[in-house]
Amino acid sequence: MNCIIIDDDKFSTKVIAEFIEKSGDLNLVGTYDNAVDGINYLNGKNSDGIDLLFLDIEMPDMTGIDLLKTLNVLPQVIIYSSKEKYALESYEYNVTDYLLKPVSYPRFIKAVSKAKENTEKKDDISKSNSEIFIKNNSSLVRVKYEDILWIEALENYVVVNTFKDKFTIHFTMKAISEKMPSDKFVRVHRSFIVNIGKIRVIEDNSVVIKTEMGSKVIPIGKSYKEQLMNDINLITK
């Protein structure tokens, strides 16, 4: 986990930095001795790579609480302070943990472990939003949404087409449409659902999907065209 320290106390910064160095899965990216410089960094283009912020409360010009109030998007935050009185207010900003100075290494590790657990939970949620399991005979096959090109109705079944495989499952188009994320898939015909990100060309009455072997032309039903136009990022005169 990439982390930064914002603290005007040089001794405390040194202690936390040494703890970070002892923890092999933490990487200290930078230290800042005031909240203003810390905010400027967190608002910068490189801030997306910061997973964890170690933050002091009482600093000149702007306190750690002021920093929490100012930023809309924060990494996970572990506050460490010489005073307990700010703890309740800090938790209003969903901080991961609140440590009292002097911080011991075991207490530091406990807080970091909590941050790691939070990151793993977030990763699991993100992963579940990027894939689906499809029944294939007696097995369940993990399929990423980005690998699905289109879904086609076949009597009482639907066929899920990916770059390399086809999965035929006993499902209705209505049911499969409700299962697929609406920001990634759109129904363009009573018999077809397409991956928006795989559309190569939209013609008057059809969409062209790029496939491993070339392309697939899929018709657009009249009643579905307006929704398709609303779902794509469209630039027109």
Side-chain angles (χ1 to χ4, degrees):
M1 298 178 72
N2 290 329
C3 48
I4 63 172
I5 300 171
I6 303 178
D7 187 355
D8 66 322
D9 184 335
K10 292 182 179 181
F11 177 76
S12 294
T13 297
K14 183 174 183 293
V15 170
I16 297 298
E18 288 175 352
F19 286 171
I20 290 171
E21 188 176 354
K22 286 172 67 175
S23 306
D25 46 5
L26 294 180
N27 175 45
L28 182 59
V29 175
T31 62
Y32 299 89
D33 61 7
N34 64 85
V36 175
D37 287 344
I39 284 176
N40 289 336
Y41 179 83
L42 290 170
N43 281 333
K45 62 181 180 180
N46 296 319
S47 62
D48 288 345
I50 301 303
D51 305 299
L52 185 57
L53 164 62
F54 292 94
L55 178 66
D56 187 25
I57 292 291
E58 294 186 319
M59 292 181 285
D61 299 325
M62 178 180 286
T63 68
I65 294 294
D66 291 332
L67 182 147
L68 295 176
K69 291 177 180 177
T70 301
L71 293 173
N72 292 324
V73 180
L74 278 169
Q76 290 197 72
V77 179
I78 294 176
I79 288 178
Y80 60 103
S81 173
S82 59
K83 296 181 180 178
E84 194 174 353
K85 64 180 181 180
Y86 302 106
L88 185 60
E89 184 179 2
S90 71
Y91 281 112
E92 294 178 10
Y93 302 94
N94 296 317
V95 301
T96 301
D97 210 339
Y98 192 102
L99 312 181
L100 287 175
K101 297 179 182 180
V103 180
S104 67
Y105 186 62
R107 185 65 182 89
F108 171 88
I109 289 298
K110 184 177 180 180
V112 169
S113 296
K114 189 184 296 186
K116 291 177 186 174
E117 289 175 8
N118 290 343
T119 298
E120 288 170 1
K121 288 177 183 176
K122 185 178 178 181
D123 289 344
D124 287 342
I125 292 171
S126 177
K127 192 173 183 181
S128 69
N129 290 334
S130 65
E131 62 191 23
I132 191 170
F133 281 88
I134 297 177
K135 189 172 183 180
N136 184 36
N137 297 322
S138 60
S139 303
L140 292 174
V141 180
R142 186 198 307 268
V143 178
K144 293 182 178 180
Y145 288 133
E146 65 183 35
D147 291 336
I148 298 174
L149 303 178
W150 77 90
I151 301 168
E152 183 175 353
L154 181 65
E155 296 182 351
N156 296 323
Y157 295 82
V158 296
V159 181
V160 179
N161 294 270
T162 72
F163 275 108
K164 295 184 178 180
D165 299 298
K166 290 184 178 182
F167 301 95
T168 302
I169 54 178
H170 193 270
F171 238 65
T172 66
M173 285 295 281
K174 183 177 185 298
I176 196 73
S177 179
E178 291 172 352
K179 282 280 187 182
M180 308 307 287
S182 60
D183 62 325
K184 294 180 175 68
F185 295 87
V186 60
R187 192 167 182 178
V188 297
H189 188 276
R190 63 187 180 86
S191 299
F192 291 95
I193 296 169
V194 301
N195 185 331
I196 298 171
K198 304 303 179 183
I199 297 175
R200 187 174 183 180
V201 177
I202 299 176
E203 298 174 343
D204 288 340
N205 298 307
S206 63
V207 296
V208 179
I209 302 290
K210 185 178 180 181
T211 69
E212 187 180 32
M213 304 301 293
S215 60
K216 166 75 173 178
V217 179
I218 295 174
I220 301 174
K222 290 182 180 179
S223 59
Y224 297 95
K225 189 166 186 177
E226 183 178 353
Q227 184 61 52
L228 171 62
M229 294 298 111
N230 289 335
D231 286 349
I232 63 172
N233 192 7
L234 182 63
I235 300 176
T236 60
K237 270 191 174 182

Short mmCIF file of all heavy atoms in Angstrom, two decimals, residues 38-63:
data_model
loop_
_atom_site.label_atom_id
_atom_site.label_comp_id
_atom_site.label_asym_id
_atom_site.label_seq_id
_atom_site.Cartn_x
_atom_site.Cartn_y
_atom_site.Cartn_z
N GLY A 38 -0.03 19.01 2.00
CA GLY A 38 -0.64 17.68 1.87
C GLY A 38 -1.87 17.71 0.98
O GLY A 38 -2.06 16.83 0.13
N ILE A 39 -2.72 18.73 1.14
CA ILE A 39 -3.91 18.88 0.30
C ILE A 39 -3.51 19.09 -1.15
O ILE A 39 -4.11 18.51 -2.07
CB ILE A 39 -4.78 20.05 0.80
CG1 ILE A 39 -5.54 19.64 2.06
CG2 ILE A 39 -5.77 20.50 -0.28
CD1 ILE A 39 -6.35 20.73 2.68
N ASN A 40 -2.51 19.92 -1.37
CA ASN A 40 -2.06 20.17 -2.75
C ASN A 40 -1.60 18.88 -3.42
O ASN A 40 -1.86 18.65 -4.60
CB ASN A 40 -0.93 21.20 -2.77
CG ASN A 40 -1.42 22.60 -2.43
OD1 ASN A 40 -2.61 22.91 -2.61
ND2 ASN A 40 -0.53 23.44 -1.92
N TYR A 41 -0.94 18.03 -2.65
CA TYR A 41 -0.51 16.75 -3.22
C TYR A 41 -1.71 15.85 -3.50
O TYR A 41 -1.82 15.26 -4.57
CB TYR A 41 0.46 16.04 -2.28
CG TYR A 41 0.91 14.70 -2.84
CD1 TYR A 41 1.94 14.62 -3.76
CD2 TYR A 41 0.26 13.52 -2.47
CE1 TYR A 41 2.34 13.41 -4.30
CE2 TYR A 41 0.65 12.30 -3.00
CZ TYR A 41 1.69 12.25 -3.92
OH TYR A 41 2.06 11.05 -4.46
N LEU A 42 -2.62 15.76 -2.52
CA LEU A 42 -3.78 14.88 -2.69
C LEU A 42 -4.72 15.35 -3.79
O LEU A 42 -5.48 14.56 -4.35
CB LEU A 42 -4.54 14.76 -1.36
CG LEU A 42 -3.83 13.97 -0.26
CD1 LEU A 42 -4.55 14.12 1.06
CD2 LEU A 42 -3.72 12.50 -0.65
N ASN A 43 -4.67 16.64 -4.10
CA ASN A 43 -5.47 17.16 -5.20
C ASN A 43 -4.75 17.05 -6.55
O ASN A 43 -5.33 17.35 -7.59
CB ASN A 43 -5.84 18.63 -4.96
CG ASN A 43 -6.99 18.78 -3.99
OD1 ASN A 43 -7.82 17.89 -3.86
ND2 ASN A 43 -7.03 19.90 -3.29
N GLY A 44 -3.50 16.63 -6.52
CA GLY A 44 -2.70 16.54 -7.74
C GLY A 44 -2.97 15.26 -8.51
O GLY A 44 -3.68 14.36 -8.06
N LYS A 45 -2.37 15.18 -9.68
CA LYS A 45 -2.63 14.07 -10.60
C LYS A 45 -2.04 12.75 -10.11
O LYS A 45 -2.45 11.68 -10.57
CB LYS A 45 -2.08 14.40 -11.99
CG LYS A 45 -0.56 14.60 -12.03
CD LYS A 45 -0.11 14.95 -13.44
CE LYS A 45 1.40 15.15 -13.50
NZ LYS A 45 1.85 15.48 -14.88
N ASN A 46 -1.07 12.80 -9.18
CA ASN A 46 -0.45 11.56 -8.71
C ASN A 46 -1.12 10.96 -7.49
O ASN A 46 -0.73 9.91 -7.00
CB ASN A 46 1.03 11.81 -8.38
CG ASN A 46 1.83 12.21 -9.61
OD1 ASN A 46 1.64 11.67 -10.67
ND2 ASN A 46 2.71 13.19 -9.44
N SER A 47 -2.16 11.62 -7.00
CA SER A 47 -2.76 11.21 -5.73
C SER A 47 -3.56 9.91 -5.85
O SER A 47 -3.84 9.26 -4.84
CB SER A 47 -3.68 12.32 -5.20
OG SER A 47 -4.74 12.57 -6.11
N ASP A 48 -3.94 9.52 -7.06
CA ASP A 48 -4.74 8.30 -7.23
C ASP A 48 -4.00 7.07 -6.73
O ASP A 48 -4.62 6.06 -6.38
CB ASP A 48 -5.10 8.09 -8.70
CG ASP A 48 -6.15 9.08 -9.16
OD1 ASP A 48 -6.77 9.72 -8.29
OD2 ASP A 48 -6.35 9.23 -10.38
N GLY A 49 -2.67 7.14 -6.69
CA GLY A 49 -1.90 5.98 -6.27
C GLY A 49 -1.71 5.88 -4.78
O GLY A 49 -1.03 4.97 -4.29
N ILE A 50 -2.28 6.80 -4.01
CA ILE A 50 -2.12 6.78 -2.55
C ILE A 50 -3.25 5.97 -1.92
O ILE A 50 -4.43 6.27 -2.10
CB ILE A 50 -2.10 8.21 -1.97
CG1 ILE A 50 -0.96 9.01 -2.58
CG2 ILE A 50 -1.97 8.17 -0.45
CD1 ILE A 50 0.41 8.39 -2.40
N ASP A 51 -2.87 4.94 -1.15
CA ASP A 51 -3.86 4.07 -0.52
C ASP A 51 -4.13 4.44 0.93
O ASP A 51 -5.21 4.15 1.45
CB ASP A 51 -3.36 2.61 -0.56
CG ASP A 51 -3.03 2.16 -1.98
OD1 ASP A 51 -3.94 2.17 -2.82
OD2 ASP A 51 -1.86 1.82 -2.23
N LEU A 52 -3.13 5.06 1.58
CA LEU A 52 -3.24 5.25 3.03
C LEU A 52 -2.57 6.56 3.43
O LEU A 52 -1.46 6.86 3.00
CB LEU A 52 -2.58 4.06 3.73
CG LEU A 52 -2.66 3.96 5.25
CD1 LEU A 52 -4.11 3.95 5.73
CD2 LEU A 52 -1.94 2.69 5.72
N LEU A 53 -3.26 7.32 4.26
CA LEU A 53 -2.75 8.60 4.78
C LEU A 53 -2.61 8.52 6.29
O LEU A 53 -3.57 8.20 7.00
CB LEU A 53 -3.73 9.72 4.40
CG LEU A 53 -3.59 11.06 5.14
CD1 LEU A 53 -2.22 11.69 4.88
CD2 LEU A 53 -4.70 12.02 4.74
N PHE A 54 -1.41 8.79 6.79
CA PHE A 54 -1.17 8.93 8.22
C PHE A 54 -1.23 10.42 8.53
O PHE A 54 -0.42 11.20 8.02
CB PHE A 54 0.18 8.33 8.61
CG PHE A 54 0.24 6.84 8.48
CD1 PHE A 54 0.71 6.26 7.31
CD2 PHE A 54 -0.20 6.02 9.50
CE1 PHE A 54 0.77 4.88 7.17
CE2 PHE A 54 -0.16 4.64 9.38
CZ PHE A 54 0.32 4.07 8.21
N LEU A 55 -2.15 10.81 9.38
CA LEU A 55 -2.48 12.23 9.55
C LEU A 55 -2.47 12.65 11.01
O LEU A 55 -3.10 12.02 11.87
CB LEU A 55 -3.88 12.48 8.96
CG LEU A 55 -4.44 13.89 9.06
CD1 LEU A 55 -3.62 14.88 8.24
CD2 LEU A 55 -5.90 13.91 8.61
N ASP A 56 -1.75 13.74 11.27
CA ASP A 56 -1.79 14.38 12.59
C ASP A 56 -2.97 15.35 12.62
O ASP A 56 -3.47 15.78 11.58
CB ASP A 56 -0.47 15.12 12.84
CG ASP A 56 -0.38 15.66 14.25
OD1 ASP A 56 -1.04 15.11 15.16
OD2 ASP A 56 0.34 16.66 14.46
N ILE A 57 -3.41 15.74 13.81
CA ILE A 57 -4.56 16.65 13.93
C ILE A 57 -4.11 18.09 14.12
O ILE A 57 -4.48 18.98 13.34
CB ILE A 57 -5.46 16.24 15.12
CG1 ILE A 57 -6.14 14.90 14.83
CG2 ILE A 57 -6.52 17.31 15.37
CD1 ILE A 57 -7.18 14.95 13.73
N GLU A 58 -3.32 18.35 15.15
CA GLU A 58 -2.97 19.73 15.49
C GLU A 58 -1.75 20.19 14.72
O GLU A 58 -0.61 19.83 15.01
CB GLU A 58 -2.74 19.83 17.01
CG GLU A 58 -4.01 19.59 17.81
CD GLU A 58 -3.82 19.83 19.28
OE1 GLU A 58 -2.76 19.43 19.81
OE2 GLU A 58 -4.72 20.42 19.92
N MET A 59 -2.03 21.00 13.68
CA MET A 59 -0.97 21.56 12.84
C MET A 59 -1.28 23.03 12.59
O MET A 59 -2.44 23.45 12.65
CB MET A 59 -0.89 20.81 11.50
CG MET A 59 -0.41 19.37 11.62
SD MET A 59 -0.32 18.54 10.00
CE MET A 59 -2.05 18.24 9.68
N PRO A 60 -0.26 23.84 12.30
CA PRO A 60 -0.50 25.27 12.06
C PRO A 60 -1.24 25.50 10.74
O PRO A 60 -1.20 24.68 9.83
CB PRO A 60 0.92 25.85 11.99
CG PRO A 60 1.78 24.70 11.61
CD PRO A 60 1.16 23.49 12.24
N ASP A 61 -1.92 26.64 10.64
CA ASP A 61 -2.65 27.08 9.44
C ASP A 61 -3.91 26.25 9.17
O ASP A 61 -4.99 26.79 8.96
CB ASP A 61 -1.76 27.07 8.19
CG ASP A 61 -0.57 28.00 8.32
OD1 ASP A 61 -0.74 29.06 8.95
OD2 ASP A 61 0.51 27.67 7.81
N MET A 62 -3.78 24.94 9.16
CA MET A 62 -4.93 24.08 8.89
C MET A 62 -4.75 22.78 9.65
O MET A 62 -3.70 22.14 9.59
CB MET A 62 -5.05 23.80 7.39
CG MET A 62 -6.21 22.88 7.01
SD MET A 62 -6.32 22.57 5.23
CE MET A 62 -6.98 24.14 4.67
N THR A 63 -5.78 22.38 10.40
CA THR A 63 -5.69 21.15 11.19
C THR A 63 -5.99 19.92 10.32
O THR A 63 -6.49 20.04 9.19
CB THR A 63 -6.68 21.17 12.36
OG1 THR A 63 -8.02 21.10 11.84
CG2 THR A 63 -6.52 22.43 13.20
#
